[in-house]
Amino acid sequence: MTKTRVIVAALLTAAVGAARAADEAAEAIEPDQPGIVESSSTVGKGRALLETGLGYQRDKSDGVRSRLWSTPTLLRFGFAEDWEFRLETDGYQRLRASDGGGTVKASGWADTALGVKWHVQDGDAERNTPGLAWLLNVDMDSGSSAFRGQGLRPSLRLTAEWDLPRDWSAGLIGGLYRDSRDDGSGKHFVGGILGASLGWPIAQAWKGYVEVAGDQLASNRNGGRSISAGTGVTWLVDRRLQLDASINRGLTKQTADWVLGVGVSIGF
């Protein structure tokens, strides 16, 4: 082997070793799914995280039985160390509703939301201070006619995340959203968002959680209160891949009776 080839081989070996070391030093992904109480972390500058899955809702209310399949998806891209851009949608949906008079079917795309997350503060277990982040989203009336909302619907949320002893964790989220009334008046209203979660380690790379959350807290004329209780598990396959499963039970009339989901999160 010539001297040049030796140098090239040495450089390639060093580059591969550096890449492996960087990969090993990279922090594990911290997806927002599953659950309503999102993490306070951002993905980091120049990194992306795709969170997607399959959702199923079953409900019976006022004599109407409904089944809804969806493909919820969230794409997060870090344009600064503490800032990320977010693109979120419930994806392709398929609805089947029936009562004594017959069955109605609908399928199409859900609305898309654009947003940003700002990681304000790191958590400190010794001082018992939480990690904090602000999330600003704007839902757009971009979906198929059967699933389209009315106009632009902004929301602002603050999420807090505490690291507890023995790898337990706790989270809170609260916020406000603005939406249009369904009566055709064109008037708007402001509703609330509030949730709490508790997580714990199950085994190596496995975690469980429970949460109670209200993603729609408004007066009856503005849609009422949508509150649910849920639990789920996550499996961090490696630093860039997480699988999850969840189940939620509706606690109010305005909430679907059961919501099930399976998901995958992939970091880039």
Side-chain angles (χ1 to χ4, degrees):
M1 182 179 293
T2 65
K3 184 177 180 179
T4 301
R5 290 181 179 178
V6 171
I7 294 174
V8 171
L11 290 173
L12 289 174
T13 301
V16 171
R20 289 178 177 174
D23 182 65
E24 292 176 357
E27 295 183 0
I29 60 174
E30 295 186 51
D32 282 346
Q33 72 174 18
I36 294 174
V37 182
E38 296 161 300
S39 72
S40 64
S41 65
T42 49
V43 296
K45 185 177 181 179
R47 295 182 178 273
L49 181 59
L50 175 64
E51 306 178 29
T52 188
L54 180 64
Y56 171 72
Q57 294 183 20
R58 188 180 73 182
D59 186 48
K60 182 180 179 181
S61 180
D62 297 328
V64 178
R65 295 175 178 268
S66 64
R67 305 289 184 270
L68 176 67
W69 293 90
S70 61
T71 54
T73 300
L74 169 62
L75 177 62
R76 304 163 60 187
F77 176 74
F79 61 89
E81 198 58 40
D82 294 325
W83 289 84
E84 68 180 31
F85 173 76
R86 300 161 66 88
L87 177 68
E88 189 170 10
T89 178
D90 280 332
Y92 188 77
Q93 296 185 303
R94 188 170 183 177
L95 173 68
R96 178 188 176 95
S98 59
D99 57 15
T103 298
V104 175
K105 298 180 181 179
S107 59
W109 295 96
D111 287 347
T112 297
L114 299 179
V116 293
K117 180 195 274 190
W118 173 31
H119 176 73
V120 181
Q121 171 181 291
D122 291 332
D124 190 328
E126 294 183 358
R127 297 182 179 180
N128 198 31
T129 56
L132 296 175
W134 285 100
L135 297 98
L136 174 64
N137 270 21
V138 179
D139 288 84
M140 302 177 293
D141 53 348
S142 56
S144 303
S145 58
F147 305 104
R148 186 181 304 156
Q150 301 181 50
L152 301 179
R153 288 102 61 201
S155 65
L156 179 65
R157 310 188 296 279
L158 175 65
T159 183
E161 194 173 25
W162 286 266
D163 291 325
L164 304 178
R166 299 185 179 182
D167 289 332
W168 284 58
S169 62
L172 289 174
I173 192 168
L176 299 171
Y177 68 91
R178 182 176 183 267
D179 204 347
S180 300
R181 292 180 179 173
D182 293 331
D183 57 9
S185 65
K187 295 182 178 180
H188 297 86
F189 69 92
V190 175
I193 301 167
L194 185 63
S197 68
L198 181 66
W200 65 90
I202 298 175
Q204 182 68 28
W206 288 80
K207 291 185 178 181
Y209 77 93
V210 292
E211 76 172 8
V212 176
D215 60 348
Q216 174 185 297
L217 302 176
S219 63
N220 288 333
R221 69 174 181 174
N222 293 326
R225 297 180 296 275
S226 174
I227 305 173
S228 63
T231 185
V233 295
T234 64
W235 174 29
L236 190 64
V237 181
D238 61 37
R239 283 181 292 273
R240 297 181 180 179
L241 176 64
Q242 176 182 286
L243 304 179
D244 64 75
S246 61
I247 181 170
N248 288 266
R249 172 64 170 168
L251 303 180
T252 61
K253 182 180 179 181
Q254 293 82 6
T255 315
D257 293 337
W258 293 99
V259 179
L260 291 80
V262 292
V264 57
S265 301
I266 305 171
F268 301 94

